[in-house]
Amino acid sequence: MKSLLHPARAVALVFLAAILVGSALLMLPISHAEGSATPWVTAFFTAVSAVCVTGLVVVDTGTYWSTFGQAVILLLFQLGGFGMMTVATLLGLMVNSSFRLRTKMVAQFESRSLGMGDIASVAKLVLVVTFVLELIIALSLTLRLHLAYDLSWAEAAWSGLFHAVSAFNNAGFSIHPDSLMRYATDASILLPVMTAIVIGGIGFPVLHDLRNRFNDPRHWSLHTKLTLIGTTILLLGGFFTLLVFEWSNSATLGPMPFADKVLSAAFASVSARTAGFNSIDIGALTQESWAMHYFLMFVGGGSAGTAGGVKVGTAAILVILIIAEIRGHSDSEAFGRRVGASAQRQAITVLVLGSAMIVLGTLFILRETDLPTDQVIFEVISAFGTVGLSTGITGNLPESSQLMLTLLMYVGRVGTITLAASLALGEHRMPYRYPEEHPIVG
């Protein structure tokens, strides 16, 4: 019983329970637009995608599901995003608190980490930021949809709320069959959505740090600095890559004027890091742009936020480790701080296991289908990274492959955080050490 109460395992069980309840609700005739029962695979896939804030769908959300069904989906990705933010943030606090107790006040000052005394503050921050930002974005979208697109107030309000909550939770669900492609040239729609995606995906430990020390960047935690710098690099890298390789593509950015090309490239770069919306046709992208998406989707966003992937902090730690190794330094350092050995091991473990899941998922689907390898890889990374972007093959996959995608979504959303927390919470010092030896590397 004690093992079941382990915080990391509790996360997995809670999310599994939410998926099962969501599946049962979506199977009800009231959830279907035509009033008939929904096949269990369709309901289960949609529930997993919603709870894991992914956005991959096997049916069109706006036409297949009734208003009740859409409301259930919205509730599921709100719980999935908000719940994971809260649980992941509190797990992070527990890890840091344990570290603080072991190293006393000196380590707390050196790391400037969050402590158990911050739990109420962080929980309040999660609650306030979530609902205030979602409300602001929803109102902005509602006004734009009503005034510029002649939707009734009721239609505009529902669409605005649905897309605002979906954006903040990086869920990628849309009630439009073309996602946000109809708004590809409308900055008044895309910019608020981008804002919600970035804030929701950057992680609440970072927002907590910025709130307390916004005017004192020197005292930001190493995690905050790495996350902000890594996020900026990824967003700019994705933006310029998409501009270069899609500039003349007649099926994506080619026909657009300059300002719209910049807007759509920026939106695609932001969305690729686990948001799942698209304002251009993903299936029509060049191979180079797909390759960039592989990387952006795999890395994802910030820890303890609504984004998925292996996380920016993980990638940043690995880069620091590589640089230190190339330079011949015994310690991995950044911004006057040394990255702990346990954090390095955890980052390597998350990266290797995440890569293994992608390889296994790709091989499984390739065996089950005759689809091109690049499209299958895109779909698998999108599922594992809880992104939700697709080249258009999701609904055509056999049920066995769709179920594989649900496993990838669940592991990608719950597994990496659970693994990282388990490694950190379960860390203990051995009473002895074996003699050291150096196997040949390379």
Side-chain angles (χ1 to χ4, degrees):
M1 184 64 181
K2 181 179 179 180
S3 63
L4 291 178
L5 297 178
H6 189 287
R9 294 187 179 93
V11 174
L13 292 176
V14 168
F15 270 68
L16 181 59
I19 289 170
L20 295 178
V21 172
S23 300
L25 290 174
L26 291 176
M27 289 177 66
L28 297 175
I30 192 176
S31 296
H32 196 290
E34 298 180 357
S36 58
T38 301
W40 78 270
V41 173
T42 300
F44 181 72
F45 187 97
T46 304
V48 173
S49 185
V51 172
C52 297
V53 291
T54 304
L56 285 175
V57 294
V58 292
V59 294
D60 177 50
T61 304
T63 57
Y64 186 89
W65 304 107
S66 65
T67 302
F68 176 83
Q70 294 173 22
V72 170
I73 293 171
L74 184 150
L75 179 62
L76 290 176
F77 59 65
Q78 177 72 86
L79 290 174
F82 179 74
M84 179 56 76
M85 284 188 295
T86 304
V87 172
T89 299
L90 297 184
L91 282 176
L93 292 174
M94 293 177 65
V95 172
N96 285 331
S97 175
S98 176
F99 177 77
R100 179 183 55 141
L101 291 173
R102 287 196 300 267
T103 57
K104 310 273 182 166
M105 298 300 295
V106 175
Q108 184 185 30
F109 176 79
E110 287 295 323
S111 64
R112 293 178 175 85
S113 60
L114 300 175
M116 291 299 288
D118 295 307
I119 287 181
S121 175
V122 172
K124 182 179 179 180
L125 177 67
V126 171
L127 180 67
V128 171
V129 171
T130 297
F131 291 112
V132 169
L133 185 63
E134 287 178 353
L135 179 60
I136 293 173
I137 300 298
L139 290 174
S140 174
L141 295 179
T142 298
L143 289 173
R144 181 62 178 175
L145 291 170
H146 175 71
L147 298 176
Y149 294 91
D150 296 326
L151 296 181
S152 67
W153 280 112
E155 292 175 324
W158 175 242
S159 180
L161 176 64
F162 191 94
H163 289 100
V165 177
S166 182
F168 180 78
N169 288 286
N170 280 221
F173 277 88
S174 175
I175 56 177
H176 304 314
D178 60 353
S179 189
L180 299 183
M181 289 178 63
R182 63 187 63 190
Y183 308 123
T185 61
D186 192 342
S188 297
I189 295 290
L190 297 188
L191 289 179
V193 171
M194 290 167 63
T195 301
I197 291 170
V198 172
I199 295 178
I202 203 169
F204 273 81
V206 173
L207 295 180
H208 183 273
D209 203 15
L210 293 178
R211 183 186 67 171
N212 293 337
R213 294 184 279 263
F214 183 78
N215 295 321
D216 191 12
R218 292 180 304 170
H219 291 157
W220 289 351
S221 68
L222 180 59
H223 170 76
T224 295
K225 293 176 182 178
L226 293 179
T227 300
L228 292 177
I229 292 175
T231 297
T232 301
I233 292 173
L234 291 173
L235 290 177
L236 291 177
F239 168 69
F240 286 113
T241 298
L242 288 165
L243 272 185
V244 170
F245 292 113
E246 301 299 325
W247 186 271
S248 301
N249 187 345
S250 60
T252 55
L253 301 184
M256 297 181 182
F258 177 80
D260 293 338
K261 288 182 178 181
V262 171
L263 175 64
S264 289
F267 184 83
S269 179
V270 169
S271 186
R273 298 180 54 250
T274 83
F277 290 113
N278 63 286
S279 61
I280 54 178
D281 185 2
I282 298 299
L285 293 175
T286 62
Q287 296 287 337
E288 294 84 357
S289 295
W290 276 2
M292 174 55 69
H293 273 73
Y294 296 163
F295 178 72
L296 294 177
M297 293 190 298
F298 182 70
V299 173
S303 300
T306 59
V310 297
K311 302 297 186 295
V312 175
T314 301
I317 290 173
L318 293 171
V319 170
I320 293 171
L321 175 60
I322 292 171
I323 292 175
E325 192 65 28
I326 292 174
R327 291 179 174 178
H329 294 177
S330 58
D331 293 327
S332 300
E333 304 166 338
F335 301 104
R337 292 291 181 268
R338 185 178 72 251
V339 179
S342 62
Q344 297 177 40
R345 293 195 303 270
Q346 291 161 23
I348 294 172
T349 302
V350 169
L351 175 72
V352 172
L353 293 183
S355 301
M357 286 297 300
I358 289 174
V359 171
L360 292 175
T362 300
L363 292 175
F364 180 89
I365 296 179
L366 285 175
R367 180 174 179 175
E368 296 290 309
T369 67
D370 295 323
L371 293 168
T373 302
D374 50 5
Q375 287 186 295
V376 172
I377 293 175
F378 193 103
E379 199 81 5
V380 168
I381 297 178
S382 180
F384 177 79
T386 68
V387 181
L389 293 175
S390 175
T391 59
I393 66 173
T394 313
N396 298 323
L397 292 172
E399 288 187 353
S400 58
S401 295
Q402 291 177 358
L403 291 175
M404 170 56 73
L405 292 181
T406 63
L407 175 62
L408 290 168
M409 287 188 282
Y410 182 75
V411 172
R413 184 57 176 159
V414 179
T416 53
I417 292 178
T418 301
L419 173 64
S422 297
L423 291 172
L425 291 171
E427 182 183 356
H428 62 279
R429 293 185 179 275
M430 299 294 291
Y432 56 86
R433 299 180 72 184
Y434 289 109
E436 184 176 291
E437 190 170 339
H438 295 275
I440 298 174
V441 177

